[in-house]
Amino acid sequence: MKRRTFLAGAVGAIGATAVVVRSAEAATVTSLAALQSAINSATAGSTITLANGSYAVGSSGITITGRNGTTTSPITIQAESRGGVTLTGSKSFVFSKSSNITISGFVFKQTSTLDLAAGSNRIRLTRNEFALGSAASHSVVVRGDDVKIDRNIFRDKSTVGCYLVIDGPSNNDPQNETIAQRTYILRNHFRDHTFSGENGGEAIRLGVSSRALADADATVEYNLFERANGDPEAISVKSSGNTIRYNTIRNSLGGIVLRHGNGSRVESNYILAGDNGIRIYGNDHLIVNNYVDGVTGSNSAGIVLGSGSERDHTPGESETARKGNDAPDRVVIVLNTLRNNTKAIAGESNRTIPPLACQIRDNLLVGTTGNLTDLPYQSGITFSGNILWGAASNGTIPSSGFTRADPKLTSTSDGVYRLASGSAAINAVSANHSSRVTDDVDGQARTAPYDVGADEYSTATPTRRPLTAADVGPNAV
């Protein structure tokens, strides 16, 4: 076995400068200079381990240039132990024309954004902690394709900026509709964003208005958001063709907002005890199987079907037009459970273009006060099969679109209210939804005819439940 020794050109926070090489493919380094040297010669399958300690990174960063692993043999750069290496200073890793790189186990406390540059594809950030300094705007920006962000924690941000931004190439061409493709965001913990401004503190911003018509094809699943209070939008979607599913939002100002773009799927999310639920603009979205409980902001609702300043966004439109709200067309809202929110389903009257050809079917709306529905524009909506219950008034929903019947919701061990035997929601749907979804919010199979709301009645243990901190972050399975 060939052995190599790198001499460190600078000393990290720990004193040793030697490098121990276990094999031609695996090296442990003990300084930033040695780390840079090992990266510069890394090939597919190389694993470079930085010894535990705190390292102040200079203004040039740790450069990863022209390094390419493969999908089966990535180049891995990791901390000696998970969370054992802290990177401070102005920058950390700086990517250029590299691919199949995994960064794992670091604590990032740099003062500038970690930018995954366009042209650097299949980068994976896994089991890291992001607690960047106040000078940093966003924590991570994704510009390359097929990036995976999994099992990280993003925490304690008090300034403007997002934890995670999915963007495109670094240019300001308003006609450029390209965006990072197929980003996979899995089992991350986004918590404690306390920025108090009115806008600009999202946990995830998936796109930007100038690129909203581009299909990002991102998947955001099994993530936990707690006290995401930097913006009314915890997940702000500003691109097209995305899937937002199996996430849990707890005790947060922010909700899930389809702000710009078309054709996204919002499925089987739990939103619990916050200020905002799900808000919708744009066309051809599916909102299915979501459970929203205790969203009690003064003007909030479990689901808001918005109104528009524009009928549709189009390629080449002005920047001003693109930033306007696109009225919802052909949005399908089915099989959701909305319990004890300020309102269950609401619309907007502050813009003049109404929804068009939208459906609100087979949802379960339960409340104790106020109105369950408040929909100022109804001519563009088809209602059927919804079940309303509780002391709250029906509101504006037409009488043909609902029945009043007891769903027999019963609290279970995780705090979720599920159907009990004898529920009026069992086998009560008005339409066949098998082409849209085959299981319920808990991951249990649905059998025809489906039950109204997010829960399909079952005595079995749920496959999915609301997430807790143990399910996400660096130590998650």
Side-chain angles (χ1 to χ4, degrees):
M1 180 182 297
K2 183 176 180 181
R3 296 179 61 85
R4 295 179 295 158
T5 300
F6 299 93
L7 295 179
V11 179
I14 58 179
T17 60
V19 176
V20 178
V21 179
R22 295 192 178 104
S23 72
E25 292 80 29
T28 296
V29 299
T30 60
S31 74
L32 294 180
L35 174 63
Q36 185 67 71
S37 181
I39 291 171
N40 291 347
S41 60
T43 57
S46 295
T47 297
I48 305 167
T49 301
L50 180 59
N52 286 344
S54 181
Y55 298 81
V57 182
S59 59
S60 297
I62 303 161
T63 58
I64 303 175
T65 303
R67 299 293 95 196
N68 297 283
T70 68
T71 54
T72 56
S73 296
I75 295 170
T76 299
I77 305 168
Q78 63 185 17
E80 181 182 6
S81 63
R82 196 174 296 163
V85 172
T86 298
L87 299 178
T88 65
S90 59
K91 294 182 180 180
S92 59
F93 298 100
V94 178
F95 292 85
S96 176
K97 299 179 180 178
S98 296
S99 64
N100 293 296
I101 310 291
T102 295
I103 306 294
S104 180
F106 294 90
V107 178
F108 291 90
K109 291 191 173 182
Q110 64 203 65
T111 59
S112 64
T113 299
L114 175 57
D115 195 319
L116 306 185
S120 289
N121 302 323
R122 296 178 297 281
I123 306 300
R124 182 183 183 190
L125 302 181
T126 183
R127 303 189 188 280
N128 302 291
E129 181 176 331
F130 293 90
L132 274 62
S134 60
S137 175
H138 309 309
S139 296
V140 176
V141 173
V142 175
R143 304 186 194 277
D145 294 340
D146 298 293
V147 167
K148 184 175 182 179
I149 311 289
D150 69 292
R151 299 171 175 84
N152 304 284
I153 183 168
F154 295 80
R155 64 173 180 85
D156 298 319
K157 184 169 176 58
S158 60
T159 53
V160 68
C162 304
Y163 280 136
L164 177 60
V165 172
I166 313 305
D167 208 334
S170 297
N171 62 62
N172 295 315
D173 180 0
Q175 306 303 316
N176 187 344
E177 296 279 359
T178 59
I179 195 167
Q181 298 290 292
R182 296 173 298 277
T183 308
Y184 187 27
I185 303 168
L186 170 70
R187 291 201 180 276
N188 300 284
H189 192 181
F190 299 90
R191 67 170 179 83
D192 297 299
H193 196 326
T194 57
F195 174 60
S196 58
E198 295 183 359
N199 187 40
E202 302 93 330
I204 298 176
R205 197 191 78 207
L206 210 174
V208 63
S209 58
S210 62
R211 308 174 194 271
L213 298 184
D215 280 351
D217 194 20
T219 300
V220 182
E221 64 180 13
Y222 292 109
N223 300 281
L224 173 61
F225 303 78
E226 293 186 289
R227 300 170 299 280
N229 297 331
D231 193 283
E233 304 176 9
I235 303 175
S236 179
V237 179
K238 296 183 177 182
S239 55
S240 299
N242 303 293
T243 299
I244 315 298
R245 65 186 180 190
Y246 316 149
N247 304 284
T248 298
I249 302 178
R250 293 180 184 271
N251 301 307
S252 294
L253 169 65
I256 299 172
V257 180
L258 303 181
R259 180 61 181 84
H260 290 296
N262 306 313
S264 286
R265 181 182 182 98
V266 179
E267 176 186 358
S268 298
N269 300 283
Y270 297 96
I271 303 179
L272 308 172
D275 284 73
N276 288 279
I278 300 167
R279 182 158 44 99
I280 307 154
Y281 307 96
N283 304 336
D284 302 300
H285 303 301
L286 175 62
I287 315 299
V288 60
N289 269 356
N290 299 283
Y291 180 93
V292 186
D293 190 346
V295 167
T296 56
S298 58
N299 295 308
S300 60
I303 294 176
V304 176
L305 184 64
S307 58
S309 55
E310 310 287 335
R311 175 83 271 163
D312 292 307
H313 290 309
T314 57
E317 65 189 331
S318 70
E319 182 178 358
T320 299
R322 177 58 60 86
K323 289 183 176 180
N325 295 71
D326 180 356
D329 298 353
R330 299 175 301 279
V331 171
V332 177
I333 302 171
V334 295
L335 301 174
N336 302 283
T337 294
L338 310 171
R339 178 187 175 274
N340 281 5
N341 306 295
T342 301
K343 299 171 184 174
I345 299 179
E348 294 180 331
S349 59
N350 53 324
R351 283 173 288 272
T352 59
I353 302 178
L356 177 67
C358 295
Q359 301 179 43
I360 299 178
R361 302 182 186 269
D362 299 322
N363 303 283
L364 181 55
L365 285 56
V366 176
T368 57
T369 61
N371 294 321
L372 289 170
T373 64
D374 182 10
L375 292 150
Y377 298 119
Q378 296 187 18
S379 61
I381 305 172
T382 298
F383 301 87
S384 69
N386 302 287
I387 292 179
L388 278 57
W389 190 246
S393 299
N394 300 334
T396 61
I397 187 170
S399 59
S400 59
F402 75 97
T403 57
R404 265 204 172 262
D406 188 356
K408 296 188 183 299
L409 289 182
T410 303
S411 180
T412 50
S413 60
D414 54 11
V416 173
Y417 282 74
R418 296 179 172 88
L419 304 183
S421 177
S423 169
I426 295 173
N427 298 337
V429 292
S430 65
N432 183 351
H433 302 293
S434 60
S435 63
R436 299 183 173 112
V437 68
T438 58
D439 64 1
D440 72 354
V441 67
D442 295 327
Q444 296 173 322
R446 286 191 182 266
T447 56
Y450 289 0
D451 301 347
V452 170
D455 179 38
E456 186 83 358
Y457 173 70
S458 173
T459 58
T461 301
T463 301
R464 293 189 296 264
R465 291 182 180 272
L467 298 168
T468 68
D471 301 312
V472 295
N475 297 315
V477 175

